[in-house]
């Protein structure tokens, strides 16, 4: 506690706080002194030190005051004058003698006006230390010394540093926890994903194409071979944008590519490998590497080559720029020919170079199998040249030639015109890429009469010498059917009906059997089903069952109209007759060859007895009459050989009106030789011949003679030593 204020005495303090006589106190003076005292106090504060009380001059003893006044004096702030006192004059205050102080412990206090030390000011306010009584008392009264009242605390608002430190530590800990959580996520939870992504950026997969199997003829002569080539690739990542146009200008002409395509490929972002071209010849590849463009390289691969140009192109087909079969056997047998590609996965650095000690994985390719066909190159070449010549001579839309061995169903030649060069297939009409031999359906016309002949001989009680009275036309229901040439009513044997190719005579003979019997024989001979030789897009033709026939359909079907077949189906019919009535399914593939060259033969084709051997022989004899002077195809005769065959001249439906208008025809001839021991069957078909005579005996028979004669010689088949049978054409009355 602060002791109560007493009256002070002594001469040392007398009159110290009073103004000079005659002068009034200045009321504003005490405020000025108060402000100066506060400023001094604020400048002398330092941490942990108690603010010293300013020295005051001793005051004169005052008269005794009441207790109320003493209480008011206690409440008066230091430096303030009690109420009712006059302000001191403006003269300078007298010098105050120094009062001795008792030594104190603790921090040294700074005197008023003393320069501040380098230490900061503490935010804590220390309580004032009570002053010890002065020695000897104070004042004349000898009473206890007067103590200075405590200085009021000055508020100082600042956060606690400990709290600020704790908050900062919490923030740092939170941020570090986020980093730690993300680190755990990357290193543990998602480490596999990012490892794979990083590996994908470095790993580059290079395809290792398998060697494509060769296609050869029956004697091993190549029809399609695989040769060494190069693939051109680009690494767009390291190709600078300002170099792209220079690369395009150099590569596009050499590789025969569209400049826009090359620019698009080498400008693709976020990629390290893009193919520009496949199957580039080695000489072209050397030009590309000679440019030394960064980001452009070559890889070894293979290219398909067809050494015989257009020979058998419609059968063999071709391989497109992507290395896949696109037509013929190259397309239908692509899986077997192509094999299985391999791959090589390596690590690539930023400069596009292979990292020697990096990851390296490899799966070797599996070469494809080779195909050995039943075709014979020399016969194929002769047949193709003959049909191309005749198509041009007759102005036909297309033509085809088939050479077949009837004993085992093997196809010796399959030629069609017009053709194309598979080495430059892009320069040809896509309509020529297919094989019309199996893809084009047509109405066989009179060549189909042999099926009706077999049916009536087997089931109708008809013999080759059975007579028929044949007018030049006949009416059935609301339709009239006519022969190809007007003639008076004739008395013909059934052999004569077949030899003269009479439509009316065939209709009369077909009435000896039911429509169902006729239909069944057509099916047994292979009509209405695919041959299955392996060429793509083969048509099965069109043969409706009797339930869907109209009242008159059975009659045109009997002489080869109102139904359709492909050329190979028709050739198979005559091969069946030549093979004593046994139908052997046609075959084109003799077998396959492995990587080591070992040959694996294909399974034997299916066979079926369709008609009896006796019936087949009767039909063969009747077909020899077609080649006679009285028949329709004397132009098919081959000196030294007995020949049997049949002409066909079928009207084609006009696609504009769906009717037969007599303006479009299919001319054909199918025969075999030697007739007494058939070993080869040749079928010739010309679609829409427009120059010369459109009949089969005139347009197609000469091609048969040319191709059959050459095939007999190439197969070293000796001439026939027997005489042909006498075929009775006209019946006796």
């Amino acid at each position: 506690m602060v002791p109560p204020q007493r009256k002070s005495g002594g001469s040392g303090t007398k009159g110290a706080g009073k103004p000079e006589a005659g002068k009034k106190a200045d009321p504003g003076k005490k405020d000025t002194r108060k402000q100066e005292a506060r400023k001094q106090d604020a400048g002398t504060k330092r941490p942990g030190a108690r603010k010293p009380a300013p020295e005051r001059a001793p005051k004169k003893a005052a008269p005794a005051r009441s207790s109320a006044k003493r209480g008011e004096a206690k409440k008066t702030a230091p430096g303030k004058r009690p109420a009712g006192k006059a302000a001191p004059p403006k003269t300078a205050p007298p010098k105050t003698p120094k009062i001795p102080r008792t030594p104190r412990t603790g921090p040294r206090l700074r005197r008023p006006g003393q320069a501040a030390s380098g230490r900061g000011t503490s935010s804590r306010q220390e309580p004032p230390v009570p002053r010890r009584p002065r020695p000897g008392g104070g004042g004349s009264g000898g009473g206890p010394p007067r103590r200075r009242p405590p200085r009021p605390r000055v508020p100082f608002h600042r956060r606690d540093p400990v709290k600020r430190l704790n908050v900062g530590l919490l923030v740092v800990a939170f941020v570090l926890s986020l980093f730690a959580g993300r680190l755990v996520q990357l290193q543990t939870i998602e480490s596999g994903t990012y490892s794979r992504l990083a590996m994908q950026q470095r790993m580059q997969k290079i395809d290792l194409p398998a060697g494509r199997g060769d296609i050869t003829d029956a004697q091993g002569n190549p029809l399609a071979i695989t040769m060494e080539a190069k693939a051109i690739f680009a690494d767009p990542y390291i190709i600078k944008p300002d170099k792209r146009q220079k690369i395009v200008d150099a590569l596009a002409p050499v590789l025969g590519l569209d400049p826009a395509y090359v620019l698009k490929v080498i400008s693709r972002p976020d990629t390290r490998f893009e193919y520009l071209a496949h199957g580039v010849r080695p000489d072209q590849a050397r030009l590309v590497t000679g440019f030394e463009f960064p980001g452009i390289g070559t890889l070894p691969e293979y290219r398909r080559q067809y050494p015989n140009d257009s020979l058998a192109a419609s059968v063999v087909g071709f391989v497109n720029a992507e290395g896949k079969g696109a037509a013929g056997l190259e397309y239908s047998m692509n899986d077997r020919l192509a094999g299985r590609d391999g791959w090589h996965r390596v690590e690539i650095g930023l400069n596009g170079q292979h990292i020697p000690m990096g990851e390296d994985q490899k799966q070797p390719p599996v070469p494809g199998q080779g195909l050995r066909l039943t075709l014979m190159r020399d016969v194929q070449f002769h047949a193709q040249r003959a049909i191309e010549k005749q198509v041009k001579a007759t102005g036909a839309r297309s033509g085809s030639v088939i050479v077949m061995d009837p004993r085992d169903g093997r196809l010796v030649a399959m030629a069609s015109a017009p053709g194309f060069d598979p080495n430059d297939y892009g320069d040809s009409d896509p309509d020529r890429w297919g094989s019309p031999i199996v893809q084009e359906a047509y109405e066989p016309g009179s060549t189909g009469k042999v099926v009706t002949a077999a049916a009536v001989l087997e089931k109708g009680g008809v013999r080759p010498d059975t007579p028929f009275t044949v007018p030049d036309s006949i009416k059935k229901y609301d339709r009239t059917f006519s022969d190809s040439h007007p003639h008076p009513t004739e008395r013909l044997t059934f052999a004569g009906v077949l030899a003269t190719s009479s439509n009316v005579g065939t209709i009369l003979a077909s009435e000896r059997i039911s429509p169902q019997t006729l239909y069944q024989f057509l099916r047994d001979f292979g009509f209405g089903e695919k041959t299955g030789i392996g060429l793509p897009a083969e048509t099965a033709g069109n043969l409706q069952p009797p339930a869907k026939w109209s009242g008159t359909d059975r009659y045109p079907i009997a002489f080869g109209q109102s139904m359709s077949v492909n050329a190979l189906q028709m050739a198979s019919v005559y091969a069946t007759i030549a093979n004593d009535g046994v139908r052997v399914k046609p075959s084109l593939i003799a077998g396959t060859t492995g990587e080591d060259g070992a040959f694996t033969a294909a399974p034997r084709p299916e066979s079926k007895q369709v008609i009896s051997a006796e019936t087949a022989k009767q039909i063969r004899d009747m077909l020899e009459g077609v080649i006679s002077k009285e028949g329709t195809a004397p132009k098919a005769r081959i000196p030294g050989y007995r020949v049997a065959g049949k002409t066909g001249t079928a009207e084609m439906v006009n696609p504009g009106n769906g009717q037969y208008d007599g303006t479009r025809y299919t001319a054909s001839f199918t025969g075999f030789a030697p007739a007494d021991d058939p070993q080869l069957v040749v079928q010739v078909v010309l679609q829409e011949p427009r120059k010369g005579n459109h009949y089969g005996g005139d347009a197609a028979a000469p091609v048969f003679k040319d191709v059959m004669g050459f095939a007999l010689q190439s197969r070293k088949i000796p001439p026939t030593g027997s005489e042909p049978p006498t075929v009775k054409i006209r019946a006796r009355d």
Side-chain angles (χ1 to χ4, degrees):
M1 295 179 59
V2 179
Q5 187 178 3
R6 297 182 180 181
K7 293 185 295 181
S8 62
S11 59
T13 62
K14 185 177 181 179
K18 292 184 180 181
E20 296 182 3
K23 292 184 180 180
K24 295 182 179 180
D26 188 355
K29 201 71 173 179
K30 58 182 180 181
D31 296 334
T32 304
R33 292 176 180 175
K34 180 179 179 180
Q35 293 175 359
E36 291 176 357
R38 289 180 178 178
K39 290 179 181 180
Q40 292 177 359
D41 292 342
T44 58
K45 289 182 180 180
R46 59 182 175 178
R50 193 167 47 84
K51 184 170 62 175
E55 296 181 359
R56 297 180 63 88
K59 295 183 180 181
K60 291 183 179 182
R65 297 178 183 178
S66 62
S67 60
K69 291 183 178 180
R70 284 199 301 269
E72 292 176 0
K74 291 180 180 180
K75 296 179 181 178
T76 305
K80 289 188 179 181
R81 185 178 297 276
K85 296 287 183 176
K90 295 183 178 180
T91 58
K95 295 182 179 179
T96 305
K98 295 183 179 180
I99 301 175
R101 296 179 180 273
T102 305
R104 302 174 184 269
T105 60
R108 183 178 181 181
L109 301 179
R110 190 162 40 88
R111 296 178 181 177
Q114 184 179 356
S117 64
R119 286 177 290 182
T121 303
S122 173
S123 62
R124 299 180 62 183
Q125 183 71 30
E126 297 290 337
V129 180
R131 302 184 64 175
R132 302 177 67 179
R134 297 174 182 175
S140 59
R146 177 176 175 270
R147 295 184 179 279
R148 186 179 299 277
R151 186 178 297 276
R153 295 182 180 181
V154 178
F156 186 78
H157 301 284
R158 178 175 293 182
R159 297 182 182 273
D160 190 346
V162 177
K163 292 183 179 179
R164 288 190 287 111
L165 180 60
N166 292 337
V167 172
L169 291 176
L170 288 175
V171 172
V172 173
F174 176 73
V175 174
L176 291 178
S177 67
L178 293 179
F179 282 107
R182 181 60 175 165
L183 184 62
V184 171
Q185 181 185 18
L186 294 177
Q187 294 293 333
T188 60
I189 300 175
E190 298 180 357
S191 61
T193 301
Y194 287 101
S195 297
R196 286 192 299 271
L197 292 176
M199 184 61 71
Q200 288 176 2
Q201 291 180 345
R202 301 192 305 272
M203 296 299 294
Q204 182 63 59
K205 183 179 179 182
I206 301 174
D207 293 332
L208 300 178
R212 194 175 183 89
D214 294 342
I215 300 178
T216 65
D217 74 345
Q219 297 171 327
N221 298 309
L223 299 176
I225 59 176
T226 298
M227 301 181 64
E228 182 182 353
K230 297 291 184 180
I232 310 300
F233 72 91
D235 185 354
Y237 183 82
I238 64 176
I239 297 178
K240 296 181 179 180
D242 57 341
K243 300 293 184 182
R244 292 173 181 168
Q245 191 58 48
K246 183 179 179 181
I247 294 175
V248 172
D249 295 340
L251 297 187
V254 173
L255 300 177
L257 299 175
D258 183 7
Y261 168 76
V262 178
L263 181 61
K264 179 181 178 181
V265 171
I266 66 176
S267 303
R268 289 173 180 168
D270 303 328
T271 181
R272 299 299 307 270
F273 189 87
E274 291 289 340
Y275 279 112
L276 281 173
H278 290 277
V280 178
R281 295 196 307 269
D283 56 338
Q284 291 177 309
R286 285 192 293 269
L287 289 175
V288 173
T289 55
F291 293 131
E292 297 183 351
F293 290 132
I296 302 297
T298 63
L299 290 173
E301 64 174 16
Y302 305 99
R303 69 187 301 263
R304 203 62 162 171
Q305 183 71 29
Y306 303 93
N308 301 291
D309 298 331
S310 62
L311 184 69
S314 61
V315 176
V316 175
F318 62 87
V319 173
N320 59 21
E322 287 72 29
K324 297 181 180 180
L329 291 174
E330 295 276 30
Y331 172 79
S332 60
M333 306 295 289
N334 184 73
D335 293 341
R336 181 173 295 183
L337 290 166
R340 186 174 66 250
D341 292 342
W343 49 265
H344 190 193
R345 187 178 287 115
V346 297
E347 283 193 72
I348 301 296
L350 291 176
N351 58 355
Q353 298 298 321
H354 175 219
I355 301 175
M357 302 301 293
E359 188 76 17
D360 194 332
Q361 301 174 5
K362 185 176 182 180
Q363 178 174 316
V366 178
Q369 294 179 331
L371 291 181
R372 182 180 296 180
L373 306 185
T374 60
L375 304 181
M376 295 183 65
R377 186 178 62 177
D378 53 349
V379 179
Q380 176 74 28
F381 176 80
H382 192 90
Q384 188 162 319
R385 187 177 63 177
I387 193 63
E388 287 175 352
K389 180 180 178 181
Q390 189 68 358
V391 165
K392 184 177 180 180
T394 60
R397 174 171 55 83
S398 64
S400 64
V401 175
I402 299 173
V403 181
M404 183 177 181
D405 189 333
R407 297 167 297 181
D408 53 16
R410 292 173 177 262
L411 293 163
V412 178
M414 294 180 67
S416 60
F420 69 98
D421 186 354
N423 294 308
D424 297 311
Y425 64 89
D427 295 334
S428 60
D429 187 349
D431 292 337
R432 300 181 181 182
W433 295 349
S435 175
I437 292 176
V438 295
Q439 293 181 1
E440 186 172 8
Y442 68 99
E443 296 187 17
S446 296
T447 55
K449 291 175 181 177
V450 293
V451 179
T452 304
V456 298
L457 288 173
E458 288 264 319
K459 302 295 183 179
V462 176
R463 295 180 55 83
D465 56 357
T466 301
F468 290 92
T469 302
V470 183
D472 64 345
S473 64
I474 188 173
K475 186 173 183 180
K476 295 294 182 180
Y477 299 99
D478 58 343
R479 291 187 61 182
T480 300
F481 301 97
S482 303
D483 285 339
S484 59
H485 300 282
H487 62 82
T489 301
E490 298 177 318
R491 187 72 171 170
L492 300 175
T493 63
F494 184 61
V497 169
L498 197 60
T500 59
S501 192
S502 172
N503 295 336
V504 176
T506 304
I507 290 175
L508 296 174
S510 68
E511 292 181 324
R512 305 284 183 96
I513 58 175
S514 66
Q516 183 62 39
T517 300
L518 177 60
Y519 171 77
Q520 189 60 51
F521 270 81
L522 291 169
R523 292 288 297 176
D524 291 342
F525 273 97
F527 287 11
E529 66 179 21
K530 298 179 181 180
T531 62
I533 63 169
L535 290 177
E538 180 181 359
T539 178
N542 182 28
L543 177 63
Q544 297 294 332
K548 295 184 179 181
W549 293 357
S550 67
T552 57
D553 280 348
R554 61 167 295 173
Y555 303 114
I557 289 176
F559 58 79
Q561 300 267 196
S562 297
M563 64 174 180
S564 64
V565 296
N566 63 49
L568 188 55
Q569 288 173 331
M570 202 68 245
S572 178
V573 170
Y574 283 80
T576 301
I577 296 171
N579 194 36
D580 293 332
V582 178
R583 180 177 181 266
V584 181
K585 293 190 66 173
S587 62
L588 176 62
I589 299 174
T592 59
T593 56
E595 184 179 4
D596 56 354
F599 175 73
T600 302
R604 290 182 59 86
E606 299 177 6
S607 61
K608 177 183 178 181
Q609 187 80 42
V610 175
I611 58 176
S612 65
E614 183 180 355
T615 301
K617 184 178 183 305
Q618 290 175 346
I619 296 176
R620 290 200 300 269
D621 292 343
M622 289 192 294
L623 291 177
E624 284 194 74
V626 176
I627 312 301
S628 65
K629 295 180 179 179
E630 296 184 85
T632 59
K635 294 181 180 180
R637 300 174 68 180
I638 301 174
Y641 292 90
R642 291 173 55 182
V643 177
K646 185 70 184 74
T647 58
T649 306
E651 286 188 84
M652 299 179 67
V653 175
N654 190 326
N657 53 25
Q659 302 293 328
Y660 297 104
D661 55 12
T663 60
R664 305 167 73 238
Y665 294 90
T666 297
S668 62
F669 183 89
T670 308
F672 46 84
D676 57 338
D677 184 19
Q679 298 187 39
L680 291 174
V681 173
V682 174
Q683 158 117 345
V684 180
V685 178
L686 290 168
Q687 300 290 353
E688 300 184 53
R690 298 187 178 276
K691 297 180 181 178
N693 201 325
H694 62 268
Y695 293 106
D698 296 319
V703 180
F704 168 87
K705 176 182 178 179
D706 184 6
V707 174
M708 178 62 85
F710 180 83
L712 291 171
Q713 292 177 9
S714 65
R715 296 287 293 267
K716 297 181 173 57
I717 299 174
T720 305
S722 60
E723 293 293 329
T726 301
V727 178
K728 296 181 179 180
I729 303 296
R730 304 195 178 272
R732 295 180 181 178
D733 294 334

